[in-house]
Amino acid sequence: MSLDLKSSKASVVEARNLKKSYRQGDRDVQVLKGLNLDIHSGDCVALLGASGSGKSTLLHLIGALDRGESGELKVLNTNLASLKDSQRADFRLQNIGFVFQFHHLIPELTALENVCLPAALKGKKSEARGLELLDWMGLSGRVYSRPYQMSGGEQQRVALARALVNDPKLLLTDEATGNLDRERAAEVLEILFKANRELGTTLISVTHDADLAGKYARTLRLNDGLI
C-alpha cells in the first residue's frame, strides 16, 4: 500500500463559538453552547463525554451531516455553512470517512463490493484498492463473503475499509467499537490507530469510555455542550 505520511500540521477543524440546539416538544434544547475547537492534520483525538454531552452532535457537524445554527465551523479550510446540500454531500464523499457503532453494510453485497461502493459513487474503479485495504485489515479470506457470513468484528473492519477507500483526509468514528467484545474492539481500535499512524489520516472518535479515550494521543472532554 502506498502510504501518505503526515507532513504538516495544517488545521483540519476550526470551531469558534459553535452553537446547536434541537426542538423537543415545545422547547428548544441547546446541545452545543458556544464551543471552540482546533484539530490539526494527523491528530488522533477522542471526544469523550456522557450521553447528552454533545459529542455525537459535534461529530455530525464536523462531518457535514448536520448544520450548526450559529458560530463558525471550518473543516479542511472550508466554511461548511456556505455549502448547499449537494455541495455538502460531495464534500463528505471527497474528504471524510465515517465508521459508526453499527456497520451499515449492504447485506446483498460482498465485502469487496461494500468497500468499493463509495469509490463507485465518485466514478472510480477501485477493486485493486479494495483488495489492498481488505488485506490490510486481515480480511483477504473474506473478500467475497457477505455480511451474514462474517463476525461482528470482521464486519466492522469491512466498514473501516469502506471508510478509507477514497483516501479521506478525515476519519470520523462514533462508538465504533461499542457493539464488539473486548478482543474484537481492540482489533478495530488498532486498525484505526494504524490508519492514523501510517496513512496520516486525521482521526476523531466519539466515545463514552474513559479507558478507551485514554489510548488516543489527545482526549477532549465534552461537558454540557462545551469542551
Side-chain angles (χ1 to χ4, degrees):
M1 177 178 292
S2 170
L3 303 182
D4 297 321
L5 299 179
K6 292 175 278 188
S7 59
S8 71
K9 296 297 287 184
S11 178
V12 173
V13 179
E14 297 177 78
R16 296 291 180 268
N17 198 31
L18 187 62
K19 297 180 181 180
K20 177 68 177 178
S21 63
Y22 294 101
R23 192 74 176 172
Q24 287 188 354
D26 60 353
R27 66 191 183 102
D28 289 326
V29 177
Q30 194 166 24
V31 182
L32 301 180
K33 303 179 180 180
L35 179 145
N36 296 306
L37 174 67
D38 288 282
I39 294 175
H40 297 94
S41 177
D43 278 357
C44 180
V45 179
L47 297 178
L48 176 66
S51 178
S53 63
K55 57 188 186 300
S56 290
T57 295
L58 176 58
L59 198 77
H60 290 174
L61 295 183
I62 293 171
L65 294 171
D66 200 357
R67 293 180 181 270
E69 61 190 42
S70 65
E72 183 178 67
L73 176 61
K74 288 185 178 181
V75 178
L76 298 166
N77 292 317
T78 298
N79 184 347
L80 295 186
S82 69
L83 301 182
K84 298 177 181 178
D85 287 347
S86 60
Q87 293 172 318
R88 292 165 70 84
D90 186 62
F91 180 82
R92 290 193 299 270
L93 184 63
Q94 299 291 338
N95 297 292
I96 303 176
F98 295 92
V99 183
F100 299 102
Q101 184 171 356
F102 300 98
H103 47 73
H104 299 302
L105 300 180
I106 297 176
E108 296 83 6
L109 300 184
T110 66
L112 180 60
E113 289 167 339
N114 269 287
V115 169
C116 293
L117 190 57
L121 294 174
K122 290 179 67 174
K124 291 171 54 180
K125 293 183 179 180
S126 58
E127 183 172 318
R129 176 66 166 165
L131 290 169
E132 193 174 35
L133 282 166
L134 287 170
D135 181 62
W136 203 58
M137 300 288 167
L139 294 173
S140 57
R142 290 298 199 180
V143 170
Y144 302 109
S145 297
R146 287 179 167 76
Y148 73 89
Q149 297 171 310
M150 294 182 281
S151 69
E154 288 172 335
Q155 291 180 67
Q156 196 65 316
R157 280 183 277 158
V158 172
L160 179 51
R162 179 182 59 190
L164 293 172
V165 73
N166 281 339
D167 297 315
K169 299 176 181 67
L170 182 58
L171 180 61
L172 305 179
T173 80
D174 194 348
E175 302 286 4
T177 62
N179 280 342
L180 305 177
D181 61 39
R182 186 175 297 274
E183 183 179 355
R184 302 289 89 77
E187 291 174 356
V188 170
L189 193 64
E190 178 51 37
I191 292 172
L192 288 173
F193 292 158
K194 187 178 179 183
N196 170 253
R197 184 175 63 246
E198 298 186 12
L199 304 181
T201 308
T202 303
L203 173 62
I204 306 174
S205 297
V206 157
T207 183
H208 66 277
D209 186 332
D211 289 339
L212 187 151
K215 299 180 186 299
Y216 283 69
R218 183 181 176 201
T219 299
L220 301 176
R221 184 183 292 272
L222 272 77
N223 182 37
D224 196 27
L226 295 169
I227 292 176

